Amino acid sequence: MTLPEVNRLYPTDDRCRELLERLRWPEGVMCPRCKDSRVSRLKDYARFQCSVCEYQFTVMSGTIFHDSHLPLPIWFLAVLLIVEAKKGMSAMQLKRTLWGEHRGSYKTAWYLCHRIRAAMASAEKAMLYGTIEMDETYVGGRQKSTRGHAGRIPYSESNKIAVIGIKQRGGELRFFKAEDVKSGTLAKYIKENVSEDVDVIMTDELPAYPGALAKAGQSRSKHKTVNHKQKVYVDGDITTNGIESAFSLLKRGIVGSWHKVSAKHLPAYLEEMTFRFNRRGRADLFIDTLRHMVTADPLTFERLTA
Ligand SMILES: [Zn+2]
């Protein structure tokens, strides 16, 4: 979907709502409260009323769009801009693109971005199989010098956040913000994301991996390692280059687009990055994102900023 196509197909609230209604209720409109399908459309067109419990609702009720006062065409453009930005887009950039330099509020744009991310996070994640590459990296942690000059002190391990990456070769990618990269933590993510029938798991020589695989119930014979310390990056077919290039895309997003990501909101950015990566090249990326927005639960501003 391109910008001119979105403008042509979804120029008004009514046109946007028609699509959202089809995505939310492919089998026909259903009352969100009592799940009955005996509903009638009210005169203002947007609202429905349930004949059983009398609840009045729109396609936006109880979804990511809940309580939003933004015109739907603006929502649609925001979704397109975000799903098409490979390295992500900052809320500030989105604000400038949709409303201009001096109009619109940063807070509105920021909340809008987070609601779209919450929809992305609701997507189902299948277990990975085949050939798996797994790696860990650190993001953030830059501190201003306290010594009064403009320089920055170097990265220190203590204030950086660990991100674990798992990628199926030719398949999907997962990123997780992790407390640490100890074997118990790695094991948890292997267990939750990697099928027991996986063929091979490739990692670097971090000493925690053998224990992690054992704890996750994976056979030792499936583990292949790349020795980065000895500058062996590709040993025949054994490489972690796939997950490493995914990490560099993530870091370019954090440094180049989002500038600064707090530890609290990092999981949301990781969800956005992997959602987009896993659907790259798919013609229905835009529609699929909207589908998640009318099937995911609302994200209130209070919960986001709690
Ligand atoms: Zn009802």
Side-chain angles (χ1 to χ4, degrees):
M1 194 75 76
T2 62
L3 199 51
E5 279 170 331
V6 171
N7 275 330
R8 183 169 55 81
L9 294 169
Y10 309 107
T12 61
D13 266 19
D14 284 351
R15 295 294 293 276
C16 293
R17 240 188 338 258
E18 280 165 16
L19 173 69
L20 296 178
E21 286 172 6
R22 282 203 306 277
L23 293 173
R24 181 172 183 180
W25 298 298
E27 322 278 315
V29 182
M30 195 179 75
C31 170
R33 195 160 278 176
C34 74
K35 313 291 176 210
D36 203 281
S37 57
R38 280 166 287 176
V39 297
S40 44
R41 196 185 279 278
L42 297 179
K43 268 196 280 240
D44 70 3
Y45 188 77
R47 278 180 309 147
F48 298 92
Q49 179 166 339
C50 175
S51 312
V52 179
C53 73
E54 299 194 328
Y55 179 53
Q56 289 193 3
F57 58 94
T58 74
V59 71
M60 295 154 80
S61 306
T63 73
I64 290 291
F65 297 98
H66 198 81
D67 279 346
S68 168
H69 301 296
L70 289 175
L72 283 172
I74 290 286
W75 270 102
F76 276 40
L77 291 178
V79 169
L80 182 76
L81 291 171
I82 287 176
V83 297
E84 291 299 335
K86 243 181 123 179
K87 285 177 275 178
M89 181 178 276
S90 69
M92 187 50 86
Q93 178 66 55
L94 191 84
K95 181 195 106 58
R96 274 199 301 266
T97 310
L98 292 178
W99 292 286
E101 191 74 49
H102 304 293
R103 285 170 42 228
S105 87
Y106 174 75
K107 195 174 113 178
T108 302
W110 181 81
Y111 183 28
L112 180 65
C113 289
H114 267 295
R115 278 184 287 180
I116 295 171
R117 283 186 199 112
M120 291 172 161
S122 75
E124 287 213 2
K125 295 167 186 76
M127 295 294 266
L128 306 177
Y129 57 94
T131 299
I132 300 295
E133 293 182 24
M134 185 165 177
D135 201 1
E136 66 293 328
T137 192
Y138 291 88
V139 298
R142 212 176 280 185
Q143 277 188 341
K144 277 197 180 122
S145 170
T146 51
R147 284 177 302 242
H149 47 81
R152 287 172 179 276
I153 60 166
Y155 282 99
S156 77
E157 289 287 316
S158 59
N159 53 24
K160 288 163 94 179
I161 310 157
V163 173
I164 291 172
I166 307 177
K167 187 178 180 303
Q168 177 181 326
R169 210 172 272 178
E172 294 205 346
L173 170 71
R174 309 271 183 267
F175 283 149
F176 303 100
K177 174 193 163 197
E179 289 305 307
D180 55 60
V181 293
K182 294 178 186 158
S183 68
T185 308
L186 296 170
K188 169 181 173 308
Y189 290 110
I190 296 171
K191 243 187 146 134
E192 287 172 1
N193 295 280
V194 179
S195 157
E196 284 174 22
D197 305 325
V198 65
D199 296 332
V200 53
I201 302 178
M202 299 179 181
T203 72
D204 60 18
E205 293 198 320
L206 186 79
Y209 279 115
L213 264 78
K215 281 180 192 161
Q218 295 285 357
S219 138
R220 222 198 156 108
S221 62
K222 291 178 178 174
H223 188 206
K224 304 275 185 254
T225 60
V226 188
N227 189 341
H228 284 177
K229 283 205 184 86
Q230 291 174 20
K231 302 265 181 260
V232 181
Y233 290 99
V234 184
D235 177 8
D237 197 31
I238 307 166
T239 95
T240 51
N241 290 350
I243 189 68
E244 281 164 38
S245 53
F247 278 151
S248 44
L249 188 67
L250 170 70
K251 287 179 179 183
R252 287 204 297 276
I254 291 177
V255 175
S257 309
W258 297 320
H259 307 300
K260 212 177 105 199
V261 174
S262 66
K264 180 186 163 193
H265 294 300
L266 180 64
Y269 291 95
L270 298 179
E271 291 283 1
E272 178 190 330
M273 191 58 95
T274 52
F275 181 92
R276 192 168 37 224
F277 186 94
N278 293 337
R279 287 162 183 77
R280 64 197 183 282
R282 259 175 59 173
D284 68 340
L285 172 63
F286 174 72
I287 299 288
D288 190 44
T289 309
L290 289 172
R291 180 180 299 116
H292 285 100
M293 291 175 65
V294 283
T295 50
D297 292 332
L299 172 67
T300 63
F301 194 75
E302 291 69 37
R303 184 153 66 87
L304 182 61
T305 51

